[in-house]
Amino acid sequence: MNDEQFDNQLRAEFSKQKQQNRLSRAQINQLKTQCTSQKVKPVWPRVQWTFASLAAVFLAYLVFNESQLTQQPLYTLDFEQYQQVEKHTLHAGQYKRSLVLQKQQLDNEMQVAKSNLNQAYATHGKLIEKQGDTWFIADCQQQTLLEISTELVAQLTQRSDYQANQVGTLLAFKRNPQGQLVSLSALENSDSTTCS
């Protein structure tokens, strides 16, 4: 047997085996289905990625909130820390004083506060906020907050440079027996009186 005959016999045997072992249409479709179904990605990596993204967003939120807390001003106006808030204004040239109680609304406590107010004729305080046409002054005992209109401040100080007073300025103010303010002046640096 020569090489050419051997090659022909080998090819004939290969074609015969190929015909006998041929896949049916159903087997081909089944193999295609298995190949395409393996391309679907598993769910667990997607879930892990979602949780990692949520954790990163939550961490960024916490960092942002912490940075906002450290950037707050040194003194914030909080009406809740005072037992009473007094509002002093001028309406149509008439002095008007009103009490706005923040913590206690009982009548007997308001009477005690009024009697204490009438007894204290001269007091010291600190200018803690200037908002538009209103000044907020806290007394040195941190019990009373005075809300005074700038029109009344101008009348009480009788000076044109009253607007030069900055937040943190120590002020002396006097009252009459009815509790109305009668004078308001900034304390000089040489004065030994300070709010502690």
Side-chain angles (χ1 to χ4, degrees):
M1 189 184 264
N2 65 14
D3 285 338
E4 194 175 308
Q5 287 176 345
F6 182 72
D7 281 343
N8 288 339
Q9 189 180 6
L10 190 59
R11 280 190 194 124
E13 188 64 32
F14 177 73
S15 295
K16 181 180 169 187
Q17 289 295 325
K18 187 176 174 183
Q19 290 296 328
Q20 287 177 356
N21 293 322
R22 188 171 210 156
L23 295 176
S24 68
R25 180 57 83 187
Q27 289 173 328
I28 291 174
N29 287 337
Q30 183 181 8
L31 284 174
K32 284 182 181 179
T33 305
Q34 287 177 350
C35 290
T36 57
S37 67
Q38 290 177 0
K39 291 181 182 178
V40 176
K41 294 181 180 176
V43 176
W44 180 242
R46 288 183 191 174
V47 171
Q48 286 179 325
W49 178 252
T50 303
F51 282 130
S53 300
L54 289 174
V57 168
F58 182 69
L59 181 63
Y61 171 76
L62 290 178
V63 168
F64 177 75
N65 274 350
E66 185 66 29
S67 69
Q68 292 298 318
L69 291 176
T70 59
Q71 294 176 359
Q72 288 183 349
L74 296 177
Y75 190 90
T76 57
L77 184 61
D78 183 13
F79 290 102
E80 294 296 322
Q81 76 183 42
Y82 299 98
Q83 290 181 3
Q84 66 187 21
V85 176
E86 295 181 12
K87 186 173 183 177
H88 297 261
T89 58
L90 279 179
H91 288 286
Q94 294 293 319
Y95 188 103
K96 185 174 180 181
R97 176 179 152 257
S98 59
L99 291 176
V100 182
L101 295 182
Q102 295 293 320
K103 291 185 178 178
Q104 301 161 347
Q105 296 293 327
L106 302 174
D107 290 339
N108 60 347
E109 291 181 11
M110 188 166 78
Q111 292 302 325
V112 170
K114 282 184 179 180
S115 67
N116 289 341
L117 181 64
N118 291 336
Q119 292 172 3
Y121 294 127
T123 314
H124 295 91
K126 186 185 284 189
L127 178 60
I128 60 169
E129 188 78 34
K130 290 168 81 173
Q131 294 180 356
D133 62 346
T134 305
W135 284 18
F136 294 94
I137 301 171
D139 71 337
C140 287
Q141 290 79 28
Q142 292 289 314
Q143 292 182 351
T144 304
L145 178 68
L146 303 173
E147 181 181 339
I148 306 172
S149 69
T150 53
E151 183 182 9
L152 180 59
V153 170
Q155 184 179 356
L156 292 174
T157 59
Q158 299 175 351
R159 293 175 58 190
S160 60
D161 65 341
Y162 72 93
Q163 287 291 358
N165 291 330
Q166 298 297 320
V167 172
T169 302
L170 291 177
L171 302 168
F173 47 93
K174 293 183 182 175
R175 305 168 186 257
N176 63 14
Q178 289 78 34
Q180 295 176 334
L181 295 175
V182 293
S183 75
L184 180 67
S185 61
L187 296 174
E188 300 297 324
N189 291 339
S190 62
D191 291 339
S192 61
T193 307
T194 60
C195 283
S196 55

